[in-house]
Amino acid sequence: MRTRQADSSQNPSSSPQATYPVPTPASSPKGAYPVPTPASSTRRSAPVPNPPATPDETTVAPNPPSFAPGSSDAATTRTPAAPGFAPNETTVAPTPPSFAPSSGDAAATHTPATPSFAPGSGNAPTSRTPAAPSFAPSGNGPRQASATRSQAIPDPVPTPGATPSRTAPATAPRPRRKRRRRLVLKTLSVLLVIVLAWGGFLVWDANTNIGRVSALSGASDTAGTTYLLAGSDSRADGAVQDGFEGSERADSIMLVNIAANGQAVAVSIPRDTYAEIPGVGWDKINASYAYGGPQLLVETVEKLTGLTVDHFVQIGMGAVPDMVDAVGGVELCYDHDSNDEYSGLNWTAGCHTVDGPTALQFSRMRYQDPEGDIGRTKRQRQVISKVVSEAASPATLINPARTLRVERAGSKSFTVDEDSSIMTVASLVMALRSASSDELMGVPPIESLDYTTSAGASAVLLRDETAPDFFAKLRSGKLTTSDLNQIG
C-alpha cells in the first residue's frame, strides 16, 4: 500500500514518492509490469484525510509479480500470490479458504496453507499436490497435510453392534474324503440306473405276455374306480368234477371298489348268487360267463351293484400253482379237516405252508366245507392275499431271479381288458392290500344259502334279492366291517 500525501498542493518535486520499489532498468526484466510514476498518481486535487487502512481498500496496489521481491514500510500480511493463470487481477486478493481465521486491521501473523486444490504459489513454481482421497479428514483443525496415493488406506472402523467376522483357520484339503464321496455317488447312480432299467424290462415283458380281451360294457362312469377280478376255471384238466365238462365258468368273482373318498373294499360275490343276467333272465351269476363271456359277466355285475366296471382282470385258476411256487410257497389256514375227492384236498385242521398244487386244491374245495361256496370264497381270498403279500415282499423284490419268475407266472395267468395293462394289475394288487389291512373284505348280506330257483336249482339269495342298501353304501364309501359277511 502507498502513503497518501498530507497536502496535495505541495510542489510535486518535494513530495515523497510512492513506497513501491521501482525497479531500475538494469534490474527490471523484460516484460515487467509498468510502474506508475508519481505524476500519474495525483488523481485527487483536494486533500483527503488518511482513513484507516482496510483490507478491501480499492486503492491498494496490485501485488508484485511472484518473481519480484516485495517490500513495505510497515509490516504487512502475507498475501497469497496470484494464481499463475490470472496475471491481471490486481485489486482483490484470493478469498482465503473457509477454515482460515478472519483478518482485521492488525496484520495476521500466520496464513493457513494453500488448499491442495489451489495452483502452486510462491517465489518458485511448485508441483501440484494430488488431491486428497475421499477419506481424508476435513475441518478447521491444524492438520493440513493431505494424503497421497502412496499412503496406505487405514483399516475400516467396525460398526457398533456388528459381529466381527471370524477368519476360519486354514485347513488342509481332504482328498480322500472327496474321492470316497464321489465313489459313493457314482455307485448309487449306477445302481439307480440298473433298478430303473430292470423295472422297465419287467413292465415291458409283462405287457408282452399278458392276455387281453374285450370285456367292458361302455356304460357311463360312476364315482371312484371299480375293478372286476374273475377267476376262471376250465374243467378240461379234470380237476373239478361238477357236471360242466368242457365249459368255462367264473369260478370266483370279486368286485374291488375304491370310492371317491378313498375307501377300498373287496366284495366276493358267490358264484351261485341268484341274479338277473341281461338278455337271459334270472340265473346263477357265474352262468353269465358261459352265456356271453367276460363282457356279459361285466354287464351282470354292473346291473346288480349299480357300479360301472372300469377295469376287468381275469386270472386262470390253473396258473395258481405257478404263482405260489414262484414266491416260494404260502402259509394257509383252515380250521377243519378235509379229505375231498372232488378237489383232491387232504387237509389237517390248522396252518400249513403249502406248495402250488396244494394251494389250488385249497381254493377249489367246497363240498366238505360247512359254509359251502361262502367258505370257498373265503379261502380263495386267503390264497390271493398271501400270494400278493409274498410277491410284494422285500425278499422277492431284491431277488432278480425270483422277481422274474413271479412276473412271468403272473403275466401268463392274467388277462385284462383292451384298455388296461400290467400297471392295472399292480393298482388292483395295491387296492386289495388296502382293503385287507382295513378288514373290508367279505361277502354282501345273504338271506339264504339254499334258495331254490324256479328251475329247481339251489342258489344263494342276497338280502332283498339284490342287497340294495349294501351296494348303496359301497358306492358312497360308507361301508363298515359290520356290513360284510352277514348271513341269514
Side-chain angles (χ1 to χ4, degrees):
M1 297 174 64
R2 64 194 178 95
T3 305
R4 300 179 183 274
Q5 296 178 359
D7 189 358
S8 61
S9 62
Q10 295 178 359
N11 190 351
S13 63
S14 61
S15 60
Q17 295 181 352
T19 58
Y20 297 110
V22 181
T24 60
S27 61
S28 298
K30 292 182 180 181
Y33 295 98
V35 180
T37 60
S40 63
S41 63
T42 57
R43 301 178 188 177
R44 294 183 176 91
S45 59
V48 179
N50 293 331
T54 58
D56 55 346
E57 177 64 51
T58 58
T59 58
V60 177
N63 290 327
S66 59
F67 53 81
S71 62
S72 176
D73 295 341
T76 60
T77 58
R78 297 181 182 178
T79 305
F85 54 80
N88 295 329
E89 302 221 347
T90 60
T91 59
V92 181
T95 304
S98 59
F99 53 80
S102 59
S103 60
D105 297 338
T109 59
H110 183 74
T111 301
T114 306
S116 59
F117 53 80
S121 61
N123 295 334
T126 57
S127 60
R128 295 183 180 179
T129 305
S134 60
F135 55 82
S138 63
N140 299 329
R143 297 179 61 183
Q144 302 299 328
S146 59
T148 61
R149 296 181 181 178
S150 62
Q151 290 176 329
I153 300 176
D155 295 335
V157 179
T159 305
T163 304
S165 60
R166 298 180 179 178
T167 304
T171 57
R174 299 179 179 179
R176 290 185 178 180
R177 178 175 298 180
K178 290 184 178 180
R179 286 197 297 268
R180 188 180 306 169
R181 185 177 302 172
R182 291 175 182 173
L183 180 61
V184 171
L185 291 177
K186 289 181 179 179
T187 303
L188 292 176
S189 300
V190 172
L191 290 176
L192 180 60
V193 171
I194 292 175
V195 169
L196 293 177
W198 177 244
F201 167 75
L202 292 177
V203 172
W204 172 82
D205 189 65
N207 282 325
T208 301
N209 294 316
I210 199 170
R212 287 180 172 80
V213 64
S214 176
L216 301 182
S217 66
S220 300
D221 290 339
T222 52
T225 304
T226 304
Y227 303 85
L228 180 60
L229 175 62
S232 64
D233 201 351
S234 174
R235 273 63 179 172
D237 59 0
V240 178
Q241 307 292 333
D242 57 3
F244 294 96
E245 298 294 339
S247 65
E248 187 175 9
R249 293 200 171 199
D251 203 47
S252 62
I253 303 170
M254 183 180 294
L255 186 73
V256 180
N257 176 252
I258 303 176
N261 62 0
Q263 184 186 64
V265 181
V267 179
S268 292
I269 302 175
R271 54 174 284 180
D272 292 338
T273 298
Y274 196 56
E276 183 179 5
I277 303 175
V280 177
W282 288 84
D283 201 342
K284 293 180 182 181
I285 195 170
N286 71 330
S288 61
Y289 198 98
Y291 289 134
Q295 188 167 358
L296 186 56
L297 174 63
V298 167
E299 292 177 2
T300 304
V301 171
E302 289 179 343
K303 187 173 183 63
L304 175 66
T305 64
L307 289 166
T308 299
V309 175
D310 299 302
H311 304 285
F312 174 80
V313 179
Q314 176 180 314
I315 180 172
M317 297 302 293
V320 170
D322 293 337
M323 289 190 296
V324 172
D325 290 339
V327 298
V330 293
E331 185 183 50
L332 302 175
C333 299
Y334 182 56
D335 295 334
H336 302 279
D337 294 339
S338 176
N339 188 12
D340 184 48
E341 59 177 334
Y342 295 103
S343 64
L345 179 64
N346 187 3
W347 188 268
T348 302
C351 296
H352 306 281
T353 299
V354 301
D355 58 8
T358 304
L360 179 59
Q361 295 170 353
F362 185 85
S363 61
R364 278 176 168 173
M365 190 274 291
R366 68 168 178 154
Y367 289 106
Q368 290 189 358
D369 193 317
E371 295 181 304
D373 193 48
I374 302 301
R376 186 176 68 163
T377 60
K378 290 180 180 178
R379 284 180 277 109
Q380 287 175 346
R381 290 197 303 270
Q382 184 180 169
V383 172
I384 292 174
S385 297
K386 292 298 181 66
V387 171
V388 167
S389 296
E390 290 296 330
S393 67
T396 300
L397 296 178
I398 64 176
N399 188 334
R402 188 173 179 179
T403 303
L404 183 60
R405 287 197 303 269
V406 172
E407 179 268 312
R408 289 281 174 85
S411 61
K412 290 180 179 179
S413 62
F414 283 110
T415 300
V416 298
D417 63 88
E418 295 176 333
D419 295 333
S420 298
S421 66
I422 194 62
M423 300 307 297
T424 303
V425 178
S427 61
L428 171 61
V429 168
M430 298 303 295
L432 283 170
R433 295 188 66 179
S434 177
S436 177
S437 62
D438 294 338
E439 298 182 353
L440 292 175
M441 299 182 72
V443 296
I446 296 174
E447 186 173 320
S448 174
L449 293 173
D450 193 17
Y451 175 74
T452 302
T453 68
S454 58
S458 176
V460 174
L461 182 65
L462 300 182
R463 185 176 295 174
D464 299 329
E465 288 188 340
T466 58
D469 294 338
F470 174 85
F471 289 114
K473 288 183 178 180
L474 176 65
R475 291 192 297 269
S476 62
K478 296 180 180 179
L479 274 180
T480 63
T481 304
S482 61
D483 294 323
L484 296 163
N485 305 315
Q486 296 182 11
I487 301 175

Coordinates of all heavy atoms in Angstrom, one line a residue, residues 23-25 27-35 64-68 87-88:
P23 N 11.7 -0.8 -9.8 CA 12.9 -1.4 -10.4 C 13.6 -0.6 -11.4 O 12.9 0.2 -12.2 CB 12.3 -2.7 -11.0 CG 10.9 -2.4 -11.3 CD 10.5 -1.4 -10.3
T24 N 14.8 -0.6 -11.4 CA 15.7 0.2 -12.4 C 15.7 -0.6 -13.6 O 15.5 -1.8 -13.7 CB 17.1 0.4 -11.8 OG1 17.7 -0.9 -11.6 CG2 17.1 1.2 -10.5
P25 N 16.0 0.1 -14.7 CA 16.0 -0.6 -16.0 C 17.0 -1.7 -16.0 O 16.8 -2.7 -16.7 CB 16.4 0.5 -17.0 CG 15.9 1.8 -16.4 CD 16.1 1.6 -14.9
S27 N 17.8 -3.6 -13.5 CA 17.3 -4.8 -12.8 C 16.0 -5.3 -13.2 O 15.5 -6.3 -12.7 CB 17.3 -4.4 -11.3 OG 16.4 -3.4 -11.1
S28 N 15.3 -4.5 -14.1 CA 14.0 -4.9 -14.4 C 14.0 -5.9 -15.6 O 14.7 -5.7 -16.6 CB 13.1 -3.7 -14.9 OG 13.0 -2.8 -13.8
P29 N 13.4 -7.0 -15.4 CA 13.4 -8.0 -16.5 C 12.4 -7.6 -17.6 O 11.6 -6.7 -17.4 CB 13.0 -9.3 -15.9 CG 12.1 -8.8 -14.7 CD 12.7 -7.6 -14.2
K30 N 12.7 -8.2 -18.8 CA 11.8 -7.9 -19.8 C 10.4 -8.3 -19.5 O 10.2 -9.4 -18.9 CB 12.2 -8.6 -21.1 CG 13.5 -8.0 -21.7 CD 13.9 -8.7 -23.0 CE 15.2 -8.1 -23.5 NZ 15.6 -8.7 -24.8
G31 N 9.5 -7.6 -19.9 CA 8.1 -7.9 -19.7 C 7.6 -7.6 -18.3 O 6.6 -8.1 -17.9
A32 N 8.3 -6.7 -17.6 CA 7.9 -6.3 -16.2 C 6.7 -5.4 -16.3 O 6.5 -4.7 -17.3 CB 9.0 -5.6 -15.5
Y33 N 5.8 -5.5 -15.3 CA 4.6 -4.6 -15.3 C 5.0 -3.2 -15.2 O 5.9 -2.8 -14.5 CB 3.8 -5.0 -14.1 CG 3.2 -6.4 -14.1 CD1 3.8 -7.4 -13.4 CD2 2.1 -6.6 -14.9 CE1 3.3 -8.6 -13.5 CE2 1.6 -7.9 -14.9 CZ 2.2 -8.9 -14.2 OH 1.7 -10.2 -14.3
P34 N 4.4 -2.2 -15.9 CA 4.7 -0.8 -15.9 C 4.3 -0.2 -14.5 O 3.3 -0.5 -14.0 CB 3.9 -0.2 -17.0 CG 2.8 -1.1 -17.2 CD 3.3 -2.5 -16.9
V35 N 5.2 0.5 -13.9 CA 5.0 1.1 -12.6 C 4.6 2.5 -12.8 O 5.2 3.3 -13.5 CB 6.3 1.0 -11.8 CG1 6.1 1.6 -10.4 CG2 6.8 -0.4 -11.7
P64 N 3.0 -7.4 -6.4 CA 4.0 -7.5 -7.5 C 4.1 -8.9 -8.0 O 3.5 -9.8 -7.4 CB 5.3 -7.1 -6.7 CG 5.0 -7.4 -5.3 CD 3.6 -7.1 -5.1
P65 N 4.6 -9.1 -9.1 CA 4.7 -10.5 -9.7 C 5.4 -11.4 -8.7 O 6.2 -11.0 -7.8 CB 5.5 -10.3 -11.0 CG 5.4 -8.9 -11.3 CD 5.3 -8.1 -10.0
S66 N 5.1 -12.7 -8.9 CA 5.7 -13.6 -7.9 C 7.2 -13.7 -7.9 O 7.8 -14.1 -6.9 CB 5.1 -15.0 -8.3 OG 5.5 -15.4 -9.6
F67 N 7.8 -13.2 -9.0 CA 9.3 -13.2 -9.0 C 9.9 -12.0 -8.5 O 11.1 -11.9 -8.5 CB 9.8 -13.5 -10.5 CG 9.2 -12.6 -11.5 CD1 9.7 -11.3 -11.7 CD2 8.1 -12.9 -12.2 CE1 9.1 -10.5 -12.6 CE2 7.5 -12.1 -13.2 CZ 8.1 -10.8 -13.4
A68 N 9.1 -10.9 -8.2 CA 9.7 -9.6 -7.7 C 9.7 -9.6 -6.2 O 8.7 -9.9 -5.6 CB 8.9 -8.4 -8.3
P87 N -2.9 -13.2 -14.3 CA -1.8 -12.2 -14.0 C -2.4 -10.8 -13.9 O -1.8 -9.9 -13.3 CB -0.9 -12.3 -15.2 CG -1.7 -12.8 -16.3 CD -2.7 -13.7 -15.7
N88 N -3.6 -10.5 -14.4 CA -4.0 -9.1 -14.4 C -5.0 -8.8 -13.3 O -5.5 -7.7 -13.2 CB -4.8 -8.8 -15.8 CG -3.8 -8.9 -16.9 OD1 -2.7 -8.6 -16.8 ND2 -4.3 -9.3 -18.1

